[in-house]
Amino acid sequence: MTLDKQQVHIEPADFALAILAGNQQQTNEDNKRYIKRQLSLYLEAILLVQDFNQLEKTQFEMSRETQRTQILEKLIERRYQ
């Protein structure tokens, strides 16, 4: 993650790998299902960060802090529905 005059940029792969690190295999989950879940989570994390970075670049420059939070919450809701 880098900050450039209050603009945030998150490295998609680094973020996705951090998410995966906290997602352990469940007790009764076979390896194939776990790997599929990990892949899905990785791809979703990459897409979410790319969306965030694009919004940061185009819209967040003029938004106030409360507006940033509202936009990010809407982005996350849209991505996981």
Side-chain angles (χ1 to χ4, degrees):
M1 181 169 69
T2 58
L3 295 173
D4 181 23
K5 295 182 183 178
Q6 298 187 18
Q7 183 176 358
V8 175
H9 176 80
I10 302 171
E11 293 300 324
D14 293 343
F15 179 81
L17 291 175
I19 295 295
L20 291 183
N23 188 36
Q24 301 301 317
Q25 188 169 1
Q26 297 174 3
T27 306
N28 296 327
E29 186 175 36
D30 65 33
N31 289 338
K32 187 174 181 179
R33 181 145 179 97
Y34 174 66
I35 291 168
K36 285 181 180 181
R37 192 165 54 86
Q38 289 287 85
L39 179 58
S40 177
L41 185 59
Y42 180 85
L43 294 173
E44 280 292 326
I46 293 284
L47 293 173
L48 181 63
V49 170
Q50 287 174 344
D51 287 349
F52 173 82
N53 286 338
Q54 184 61 36
L55 282 173
E56 176 70 11
K57 182 178 178 183
T58 59
Q59 295 179 13
F60 281 14
E61 290 175 355
M62 301 187 72
S63 295
R64 288 182 274 151
E65 189 65 31
T66 55
Q67 291 170 326
R68 288 182 184 195
T69 302
Q70 291 171 351
I71 291 169
L72 183 57
E73 287 173 354
K74 288 179 183 178
L75 173 66
I76 291 170
E77 288 173 6
R78 179 182 64 90
R79 197 38 96 182
Y80 287 100
Q81 287 184 1

